[in-house]
Amino acid sequence: MPANLSMESLKAAVTAGEIDTVLVCTIDMQGRLMGKRFHARHFLDGGWEETHCCNYLLATDMEMMTVQGYAATSWASGYGDHVMKPDLSTLRLVPWLPGTALVLCDLLDHHTHQEVPHAPRAILKRQIARASAMGFVPMMATELEFFLFEQSYEALRDANWRDPKTLGGYNVDYAIFGTSKEEEVMRAIRNGLYGAGIPVECSKGEAETGQEEINIRYSDALDTADMHSIVKNGVKEIAHAKGRSVTFMAKYRHDRVGSSSHVHQSLWTAAGAPAFFDETADHGMSALMRHYVAGLLHHARDITCLLAPYVNSYKRFVAGTFAPTKTVWSLDNRTAGFRICGEGTKGVRVECRIGGADLNPYLAMAALLAAGLDGIERKLDLAPAMSGDAYLGTDMPEVPKTLGEAASLMKGSAMLRTAFGDAVIDHYHRAALWEIEEQNRVVTDWELRRGLERA
Ligand code: ADP
């Protein structure tokens, strides 16, 4: 299911007065949509060719701080422009915003018109091209979890973000009556996204009070990353229009389960055959798939920083919460970091369970692909699957415990440096260090509660 607008159909819709606004968006380091709202006539008149944005969009933090320490841009270099080049294959309707369409852009260097190497979309495209040169098309899906709150974002902000109240009052995992009560928002989300050319499979209640999941049909990796970013933005916009709010934080309360973004992965041949499937092999896993999964395991700790990019992300990795604590693989076992799904069928695939709902899908998928392709190139051997409760395993490699640990592992990864380039790894290492610097600087509620009287 491709994006659902061509330039011709956009032109017709503008002429008919059905569309007057085009969101021209790029992806920032956090995986968010950033850009401009174009009058549709201006977009058709030439805006579709290119527009510009400040290059700090690939050097700010969540709060748009002008973080220093990046080689790519700074006050010293004057924060110049990037070119935003619309990828017209992503043009689509945004049914939940009146009269609106959306297009995603690649970011190009203002002077050379080459893709900016640390732009998330460019990073993923390079790994896809690498897979393609090896004869494979990576197919992926992300399963996004989030919490749905009764209050609007404005009400929560007025309350200093304290005590968000979930719309659901108890665990509605797979429950129909429980989720029927959330249908005003969830139905609008499913149908709105579907109308934007996003093949929604289903939504369901998840295993924590107020938690939801939305599944989108798998597609090629770039399309999946694009859809993931649009889904996150769309879910927020639709909830907001209903006077509600959502969070994609990995962990919004320490005493509640966190939100994940599992990534399902398989490789297919250019002719459309499932390269991970061999009906004569154990579990239907081809030798190629075994090498890919071995690559994922070999590099899992080194790529975690790109699956869990914030200090908060690491608070999700808690035993007994369905979030993994060990970088091991298993067959249909939800306690391991990697789970084989669709065993013995053409749909056999590996699900990475490490990433949280806060991941940047382009960086996460690029890192997973880089690790898996390295496994194929080096023909890495796959150790036997684990079984039982991985949370109890004592001799299994651990998911890094903190952002600091994960950032150091990423920085030292020769595989990532070769795959992404030194400058790109150094850029995202700086982003991780900044998160830690901010966390170290700020006095938190927790410190006040503990210490104000008793210290
Ligand atoms: P679960 O048991 O986790 O609920 P689902 O059948 O719902 O599994 O599939 C989870 C996700 O995996 C869906 O988004 C689906 O589109 C995706 N998926 C299915 N087949 C493949 C495949 N061959 N490669 C990648 N993703 C796939």
Side-chain angles (χ1 to χ4, degrees), residues 138-143 174 199 201-202 204 213-219 224 262-268 274 276 332 334 339 341-342 345-351 353:
M139 300 297 279
M140 302 215 179
T142 57
E143 300 174 290
Y174 294 100
E201 288 185 343
C202 59
K204 66 181 272 295
E213 178 179 270
I214 183 137
N215 284 347
I216 310 299
R217 192 187 316 143
Y218 69 102
S219 185
T224 291
H262 300 156
V263 184
H264 289 251
Q265 307 153 62
S266 59
L267 294 182
W268 295 64
F276 274 8
D332 200 13
R334 287 186 166 82
R339 178 171 77 112
C341 304
T345 72
K346 273 170 56 175
V348 66
R349 58 192 182 273
V350 55
E351 173 196 49
R353 301 176 59 83

Side-chain angles (χ1 to χ4, degrees), residues 275-325:
F276 274 8
F277 180 51
D278 176 351
E279 61 184 344
T280 65
D282 281 357
H283 318 299
M285 290 171 67
S286 66
L288 184 97
M289 179 175 187
R290 295 183 71 85
H291 294 316
Y292 184 95
V293 176
L296 292 180
L297 293 173
H298 188 75
H299 298 293
R301 285 168 47 77
D302 291 357
I303 64 173
T304 296
C305 192
L306 296 160
L307 295 162
Y310 304 110
V311 172
N312 176 262
S313 313
Y314 293 80
K315 298 181 181 178
R316 184 179 139 255
F317 302 124
V318 175
T321 65
F322 288 108
T325 56

Side-chain angles (χ1 to χ4, degrees), residues 100-416:
T100 300
L102 176 153
V103 71
L104 295 178
C105 299
D106 289 309
L107 285 176
L108 311 183
D109 183 281
H110 198 195
H111 305 286
T112 64
H113 267 65
Q114 299 296 308
E115 282 205 49
V116 176
H118 54 283
R121 218 165 178 258
I123 292 173
L124 178 56
K125 281 164 84 177
R126 277 202 303 280
Q127 294 313 306
I128 293 170
R130 188 174 151 207
S132 168
M134 293 163 75
F136 303 116
V137 180
M139 300 297 279
M140 302 215 179
T142 57
E143 300 174 290
L144 259 173
E145 293 173 353
F146 57 93
F147 283 87
L148 174 56
F149 299 124
E150 209 171 276
Q151 305 102 314
S152 67
Y153 285 120
E154 287 68 28
L156 285 176
R157 191 170 54 232
D158 288 346
N160 229 349
W161 307 110
R162 285 216 180 83
D163 304 322
K165 186 169 176 221
T166 52
L167 198 54
Y170 51 88
N171 179 335
V172 291
D173 197 14
Y174 294 100
I176 295 304
F177 175 59
T179 50
S180 295
K181 296 196 277 180
E182 296 154 0
E183 270 296 85
E184 193 200 348
V185 181
M186 295 307 296
R187 178 170 179 242
I189 287 174
R190 288 192 308 276
N191 291 339
L193 294 173
Y194 204 87
I198 293 180
V200 173
E201 288 185 343
C202 59
S203 66
K204 66 181 272 295
E206 258 303 323
E208 178 58 272
T209 302
Q211 197 175 28
E212 314 290 332
E213 178 179 270
I214 183 137
N215 284 347
I216 310 299
R217 192 187 316 143
Y218 69 102
S219 185
D220 67 83
L222 186 65
D223 193 31
T224 291
D226 288 345
M227 292 193 291
H228 180 112
S229 306
I230 295 166
V231 167
K232 273 179 94 165
N233 197 68
V235 167
K236 286 181 183 172
E237 287 176 339
I238 294 165
H240 175 72
K242 303 274 181 199
R244 311 295 191 186
S245 59
V246 302
T247 187
F248 291 99
M249 283 181 75
K251 193 89 169 171
Y252 91 100
R253 276 177 63 147
H254 69 270
D255 55 353
R256 296 275 166 93
V257 167
S259 290
S260 64
S261 175
H262 300 156
V263 184
H264 289 251
Q265 307 153 62
S266 59
L267 294 182
W268 295 64
T269 67
F276 274 8
F277 180 51
D278 176 351
E279 61 184 344
T280 65
D282 281 357
H283 318 299
M285 290 171 67
S286 66
L288 184 97
M289 179 175 187
R290 295 183 71 85
H291 294 316
Y292 184 95
V293 176
L296 292 180
L297 293 173
H298 188 75
H299 298 293
R301 285 168 47 77
D302 291 357
I303 64 173
T304 296
C305 192
L306 296 160
L307 295 162
Y310 304 110
V311 172
N312 176 262
S313 313
Y314 293 80
K315 298 181 181 178
R316 184 179 139 255
F317 302 124
V318 175
T321 65
F322 288 108
T325 56
K326 305 285 172 14
T327 59
V328 291
W329 75 286
S330 70
L331 293 153
D332 200 13
N333 176 329
R334 287 186 166 82
T335 65
F338 296 88
R339 178 171 77 112
I340 304 304
C341 304
E343 221 187 308
T345 72
K346 273 170 56 175
V348 66
R349 58 192 182 273
V350 55
E351 173 196 49
C352 172
R353 301 176 59 83
I354 298 174
D358 55 350
L359 57 69
N360 178 325
Y362 301 86
L363 303 179
M365 286 187 219
L368 290 163
L369 256 183
L373 295 180
D374 187 63
I376 292 173
E377 282 171 356
R378 291 166 56 192
K379 295 196 168 15
L380 292 181
D381 279 334
L382 185 61
M386 61 72 56
S387 58
D389 182 350
Y391 292 129
L392 298 177
T394 49
D395 54 353
M396 299 176 186
E398 304 256 2
V399 174
K401 294 256 181 284
T402 64
L403 180 59
E405 186 186 357
S408 298
L409 288 164
M410 175 178 74
K411 186 178 183 206
S413 166
M415 182 283 290
L416 278 176

Side-chain angles (χ1 to χ4, degrees), residues 27-31 57-60 67 69-72 82 107 116-124 126 303 305-310 360 362-364 366 403 406-408 410-411 416-417 420-436:
I27 305 294
D28 73 1
M29 292 168 75
Q30 289 73 24
L57 285 183
L58 290 181
T60 50
V67 177
Y70 288 110
H82 280 150
L107 285 176
V116 176
H118 54 283
R121 218 165 178 258
I123 292 173
L124 178 56
R126 277 202 303 280
I303 64 173
C305 192
L306 296 160
L307 295 162
Y310 304 110
N360 178 325
Y362 301 86
L363 303 179
L403 180 59
S408 298
M410 175 178 74
K411 186 178 183 206
L416 278 176
R417 287 187 172 278
F420 285 21
D422 283 329
V424 172
I425 293 302
D426 291 343
H427 191 86
Y428 285 93
H429 183 249
R430 173 69 195 124
L433 289 194
W434 170 256
E435 290 295 314
I436 298 167

